Amino acid sequence: MHSFIFYIFLVWLSCLSDLTVMCYKIPEVKLEVLQNGFRVSIPHEPGIENVAFNINRNRPFKAFEPGEYSNRIRTQINNLWFLETQRRLQDDDTIYVWTDVQFNKSRYRDISTPIAVSHALRGQASQSGASTIPPMIAVSQVPQSVNEIAPTTTTEEPPAIDQRNDKCEPSLTTIHNRKVCRGQLIFEENFDGDQLDASRWRYEVRLPLDIADAEFVLYDTNAELSNGLLKIEPRLWGNDSPNADIQKGDLNLGARCTAYQNPEVECQRHSFGRVVLPPVLSARINTKHAFSFKYGRVEVRAKLPQGDWLFPLLLLEPLVNYYGQQPYASGQMRIAFLRSNLNLQTGSGVEVGGRVLHGGAVLCAESNNRDKFMVNTSRGAHFGESFHIYSLTWNDRLLRLDVDGQNYGTVEGGYAQIVNDFNNAWANGNYMAPFDQEFFITLGVAAGGHGDFPDEYSSKPWVNSSPKAALYFWRDRHNWKSTWISPALQVDYVRAYAI
Ligand SMILES: *[C@@H]1O[C@H](CO)[C@@H](O)[C@H](O)[C@H]1NC(C)=O
Ligand SMILES: *[C@@H]1O[C@H](CO)[C@@H](O)[C@H](O)[C@H]1NC(C)=O
């Protein structure tokens, strides 16, 4: 009893002393497009003494470094800390901001999710006249007189950041239990050069045959790098060997095979009867040997595949299957997920194809329950029509999903209370279990499979429980082949930040 009370006391003490470190969080920076420039801002809170904004146009920050526009603001106006510049923005610009806030004698820093100007501008692309105030300003809390107030920012201020004053802010993120500094760029891949950097990425070479997914593909070394992009383009088996017959063939991946869970079935296949060779050749790469982390933010700028029954793999996968070997017992996070069909409807007519973006967690193998821990957002156009920045923020309370700097949902933790499978192993972890372990990054493209297309979807040519699923998928190719107008996943960059 005594030691218990003492423990409470200790916890209370450490909370008190941590208060200034733990209790202020820099809010999301808001971008507003003005008639002759733009403004970034955060709301005031009692305790904020000054705020420095560091802004880049179309160039991500690699560290807490001075930006194209940087200034420290000494005064808040009408409960707002803001920096205005005269720079006019283009619709396809992306604004990168990091903020440094002096709060009750401590300094806090945060790199914001990139902000797409097209979103800040939405609904006002055709401004009615030069003298009208854009709606963005009208709805914001900033008084319109703000432009008449003497600017609080002057060019005489020293640069926002003096490297000598840099100190490492504590971060939630760890890498192999090592601490890193908050805001630090902990992984960056721009896919420059003409080959995958083997010190970061490895190909999976296998015939997926796990009971949960068993995508209808052969993952092989089928990725290309060119013009600063990673390109993974799924191809039909027949493209490479025109005479190949997936019903009559042998495939032995030999020493190249990387399967480690089911090597007996994932490294070779002899087709007979309902057992066929995979109809699609694709690729899947990961950072398992090179980079994994716990908690952080991952950003991927990518163009997702378009084509029926394809889906992109932009995943965080568990480094060790800490909570067991059953499918998804140790969880999977999806930075972005799309059923890439040009049109796809549920039995009741709800559109679920490439115009619906999903992100979040997969905690169940069963296809009808896969979306339970994912959030989604719909658009008028297929997400694969253009590049977007997909982002997943993973902390010890929730997963947050963004596209082009716009939040489209969060998935709260507490899964041990909600999912009763896996012998409740997660109850031994923390609130985020199974997402309280290290995860690595996976990129790839898959087709079909037994997990991600529920049977109720209309015009689906296979049934998930059927041993002949891949064969039925293949036999239906006259229906889906022509929809593969842009089947490749193209990735411009992948970045991970400590939070
Ligand atoms: C910070 O300082 C303000 C003003 O002195 C005070 O009201 C507030 O409680 C302080 N906040 C924290 C978290 O210490
Ligand atoms: C998107 O999310 C909403 C809210 O959770 C859900 O009702 C809907 O079924 C989801 N849509 C799709 C296409 O998954």
Side-chain angles (χ1 to χ4, degrees):
M1 194 61 190
H2 260 112
S3 61
F4 181 64
I5 288 172
F6 181 62
Y7 173 72
I8 300 255
F9 178 70
L10 268 187
V11 168
W12 177 73
L13 251 192
S14 64
C15 274
L16 261 192
S17 59
D18 273 0
L19 209 58
T20 51
V21 184
M22 301 306 295
C23 298
Y24 177 71
K25 192 181 171 316
I26 302 179
E28 280 295 305
V29 172
K30 186 167 162 193
L31 170 72
E32 286 162 284
V33 177
L34 309 176
Q35 269 167 357
N36 295 311
F38 67 92
R39 172 200 295 150
V40 293
S41 63
I42 59 167
H44 178 60
E45 249 173 70
I48 300 186
E49 287 151 31
N50 59 61
V51 176
F53 292 104
N54 300 268
I55 306 166
N56 274 347
R57 219 178 102 255
N58 301 331
R59 189 164 52 85
F61 286 100
K62 299 194 170 171
F64 286 120
E65 60 201 356
E68 206 177 323
Y69 311 97
S70 291
N71 233 322
R72 188 170 286 282
I73 317 298
R74 306 281 175 190
T75 335
Q76 52 99 358
I77 296 177
N78 288 18
N79 281 326
L80 211 62
W81 296 89
F82 64 89
L83 173 60
E84 283 182 11
T85 80
Q86 299 287 304
R87 170 82 207 196
R88 277 173 187 265
L89 296 178
Q90 307 288 320
D91 238 7
D92 56 354
D93 283 342
T94 302
I95 295 299
Y96 297 84
V97 187
W98 74 263
T99 320
D100 174 298
V101 176
Q102 184 97 33
F103 182 84
N104 288 8
K105 309 290 169 235
S106 294
R107 273 172 79 188
Y108 297 83
R109 289 175 179 187
D110 199 15
I111 297 193
S112 305
T113 343
I115 311 173
V117 170
S118 57
H119 284 293
L121 277 167
R122 183 167 268 194
Q124 47 164 310
S126 55
Q127 285 171 23
S128 34
S131 61
T132 357
I133 291 160
M136 208 66 187
I137 298 178
V139 300
S140 78
Q141 288 128 28
V142 188
Q144 285 162 21
S145 62
V146 97
N147 289 327
E148 291 142 31
I149 295 170
T152 51
T153 65
T154 73
T155 46
E156 290 146 37
E157 289 283 348
I161 281 312
D162 179 344
Q163 297 297 331
R164 288 164 302 183
N165 290 342
D166 268 14
K167 67 175 191 222
C168 180
E169 297 284 342
S171 166
L172 195 58
T173 304
T174 54
I175 299 177
H176 302 321
N177 292 321
R178 271 184 298 110
K179 291 190 161 91
V180 291
C181 303
R182 191 153 147 216
Q184 193 180 323
L185 183 65
I186 53 175
F187 180 85
E188 179 175 31
E189 175 60 80
N190 293 308
F191 298 113
D192 296 328
D194 53 13
Q195 273 192 339
L196 269 189
D197 181 344
S199 72
R200 291 192 195 139
W201 300 99
R202 267 191 202 152
Y203 282 103
E204 290 186 34
V205 177
R206 63 186 180 99
L207 299 145
L209 210 70
D210 51 291
I211 48 172
D213 292 286
E215 312 89 288
F216 308 150
V217 300
L218 161 63
Y219 291 124
D220 207 336
T221 53
N222 183 38
E224 285 165 43
L225 262 65
S226 64
N227 303 320
L229 298 174
L230 165 76
K231 188 171 174 190
I232 297 179
E233 179 158 352
R235 285 179 286 168
L236 297 194
W237 181 258
N239 287 8
D240 293 306
S241 323
N243 300 319
D245 180 348
I246 64 163
Q247 289 187 264
K248 288 197 202 91
D250 272 311
L251 193 61
N252 191 336
L253 300 171
R256 298 195 309 119
C257 186
T258 61
Y260 69 100
Q261 265 178 351
N262 302 309
E264 334 59 64
V265 292
E266 292 202 333
C267 294
Q268 52 183 305
R269 195 171 302 171
H270 170 67
S271 54
F272 68 94
R274 64 184 193 213
V275 180
V276 294
L277 299 184
V280 178
L281 174 67
S282 189
R284 175 172 180 148
I285 60 174
N286 68 59
T287 65
K288 188 173 183 177
H289 67 297
F291 173 70
S292 58
F293 66 111
K294 179 166 114 177
Y295 305 133
R297 190 172 80 237
V298 190
E299 273 166 28
V300 182
R301 183 169 185 270
K303 189 169 180 298
L304 303 183
Q306 286 178 283
D308 286 2
W309 314 117
L310 296 171
F311 58 98
L313 306 164
L314 277 68
L315 309 176
L316 297 182
E317 296 192 272
L319 180 62
V320 289
N321 286 324
Y322 187 86
Y323 291 104
Q325 302 298 325
Q326 289 159 278
Y328 299 106
S330 300
Q332 180 190 85
M333 286 175 270
R334 294 190 174 178
I335 304 160
F337 172 71
L338 203 63
R339 294 181 182 93
S340 291
N341 295 53
L342 305 191
N343 292 291
L344 181 64
Q345 276 98 34
T346 62
S348 50
V350 177
E351 181 59 42
V352 287
R355 284 169 272 169
V356 190
L357 172 71
H358 308 253
V362 179
L363 293 166
C364 308
E366 214 250 305
S367 67
N368 289 322
N369 286 330
R370 282 215 178 170
D371 289 2
K372 280 221 167 109
F373 300 98
M374 284 198 266
V375 290
N376 66 67
T377 180
S378 299
R379 294 245 174 112
H382 196 294
F383 276 87
E385 276 181 15
S386 49
F387 277 88
H388 296 284
I389 299 172
Y390 300 98
S391 150
L392 170 77
T393 306
W394 162 34
N395 66 27
D396 56 357
R397 305 301 301 169
L398 51 81
L399 306 176
R400 173 194 155 113
L401 284 304
D402 288 82
V403 57
D404 300 323
Q406 292 245 311
N407 175 241
Y408 66 92
T410 54
V411 183
E412 295 281 333
Y415 311 116
Q417 312 305 317
I418 307 168
V419 181
N420 286 319
D421 298 345
F422 312 128
N423 303 319
N424 224 1
W426 303 338
N428 301 322
N430 76 11
Y431 179 73
M432 272 312 266
F435 305 116
D436 59 350
Q437 304 294 321
E438 292 225 341
F439 280 66
F440 61 87
I441 303 169
T442 288
L443 303 175
V445 179
H450 297 250
D452 281 300
F453 295 93
D455 284 338
E456 58 133 348
Y457 287 1
S458 55
S459 68
K460 183 173 163 226
W462 75 96
V463 173
N464 286 336
S465 57
S466 168
K468 289 187 178 178
L471 180 58
Y472 287 138
F473 166 74
W474 175 244
R475 283 186 182 155
D476 189 53
R477 64 190 177 283
H478 59 277
N479 278 325
W480 49 255
K481 222 170 74 180
S482 59
T483 68
W484 287 22
I485 44 178
S486 167
L489 167 72
Q490 297 185 64
V491 184
D492 180 16
Y493 61 73
V494 180
R495 302 198 173 100
Y497 295 92
I499 53 168

